[in-house]
Amino acid sequence: RKEVEQDPGPFNVPEGATVAFNCTYSNSASQSFFWYRQDCRKEPKLLMSVYSSGNEDGRFTAQLNRASQYISLLIRDSKLSDSATYLCVVTYNNNDMRFGAGTRLTVKP
Amino acid sequence: EAQVTQNPRYLITVTGKKLTVTCSQNMNHEYMSWYRQDPGLGLRQIYYSMNVEVTDKGDVPEGYKVSRKEKRNFPLILESPSPNQTSLYFCASGATNTEAFFGQGTRLTVV
């Protein structure tokens, strides 16, 4: 079983749609959680950190459920520019980072 | 400017010819790591380093070596490259439990 699992998609949604991604992790000692965005053939970049209380950044909302060991990302009012691959990242042992395989999102006009 | 620099960005080489991909960061991060990314498999960790002279195997270390003699540099060495090491490689660095910063990637082709 992979340490971090994501639905690979692809998710194809129209502009303005709301889309949600889930991610599960297997190591209960995990310490920090992030969502990264990766555009085609480019390096991953931090989208947002994920906190137990949940956090929001504009159209993006991230949630963490430690008891069930899953993380979610909600994107509201999707834009064409949101098209990318979204990577779930879990860290443990002081910064050892493990990535999910990524969920590909395509937002269409 | 805070950055992680990888070189080269693109490399085509032949089977068995030793090569090194360099990675350098200017943020004084203790943690550095190498990943390879292949279609459908996502980012897989090759090696990582928690500090100078401390390195550990990731998920796919076979065929690779690393060294961490200085804090800023973390080169990836392929002693005898093979075609199955054709991939997109990323170096990353980070401070404890904070975001990781990635280099721009190295696209390696082994023929």
Side-chain angles (χ1 to χ4, degrees), chain A residues 23-36:
Chain A
C23 168
T24 58
Y25 60 95
S26 59
N27 191 332
S28 59
S30 299
Q31 296 170 312
S32 300
F33 310 88
F34 306 91
W35 283 101
Y36 277 70

Side-chain angles (χ1 to χ4, degrees), chain A residues 2-3 31-32 34 36 38 41-46 87 91-102, chain B residues 31 35 37 40-43 45 48 50 58-59 88 90 94-104 107:
Chain A
K2 293 181 183 177
E3 288 191 60
Q31 296 170 312
S32 300
F34 306 91
Y36 277 70
Q38 186 177 24
R41 298 172 182 264
K42 299 272 184 83
E43 71 274 24
K45 292 186 178 179
L46 179 69
L87 302 167
T91 72
Y92 59 96
N93 290 341
N94 285 329
N95 229 39
D96 185 13
M97 304 185 81
R98 299 305 172 117
F99 286 78
Chain B
Y31 177 84
Y35 300 87
Q37 187 171 36
L41 296 177
L43 281 157
Q45 191 178 56
Y48 65 98
M50 294 294 193
D59 298 317
L88 176 59
F90 287 105
T96 302
N97 290 326
T98 63
E99 71 172 294
F101 294 83
F102 285 82
Q104 291 182 292
R107 187 163 292 278

Side-chain angles (χ1 to χ4, degrees), chain B:
Chain B
E1 180 190 353
Q3 60 185 10
V4 178
T5 304
Q6 284 180 237
N7 280 296
R9 295 285 312 281
Y10 303 92
L11 179 61
I12 301 174
T13 190
V14 296
T15 298
K17 185 176 180 181
K18 181 180 178 180
L19 68 91
T20 299
V21 184
T22 63
C23 175
S24 180
Q25 51 97 1
N26 63 359
M27 295 167 278
N28 201 36
H29 287 157
E30 292 183 341
Y31 177 84
M32 297 186 75
S33 184
W34 276 103
Y35 300 87
R36 62 177 287 174
Q37 187 171 36
D38 303 289
L41 296 177
L43 281 157
R44 292 183 293 168
Q45 191 178 56
I46 303 170
Y47 270 93
Y48 65 98
S49 171
M50 294 294 193
N51 213 328
V52 175
E53 301 291 0
V54 180
T55 63
D56 282 294
K57 294 178 180 180
D59 298 317
V60 288
E62 294 78 21
Y64 304 94
K65 287 174 58 177
V66 292
S67 69
R68 189 88 183 275
K69 296 178 181 176
E70 321 164 83
K71 204 171 196 179
R72 64 181 292 121
N73 295 322
F74 190 45
L76 180 69
I77 303 156
L78 285 73
E79 294 272 6
S80 182
S82 62
N84 65 12
Q85 292 178 298
T86 292
S87 188
L88 176 59
Y89 291 85
F90 287 105
C91 177
S93 76
T96 302
N97 290 326
T98 63
E99 71 172 294
F101 294 83
F102 285 82
Q104 291 182 292
T106 296
R107 187 163 292 278
L108 172 67
T109 302
V110 183
V111 298

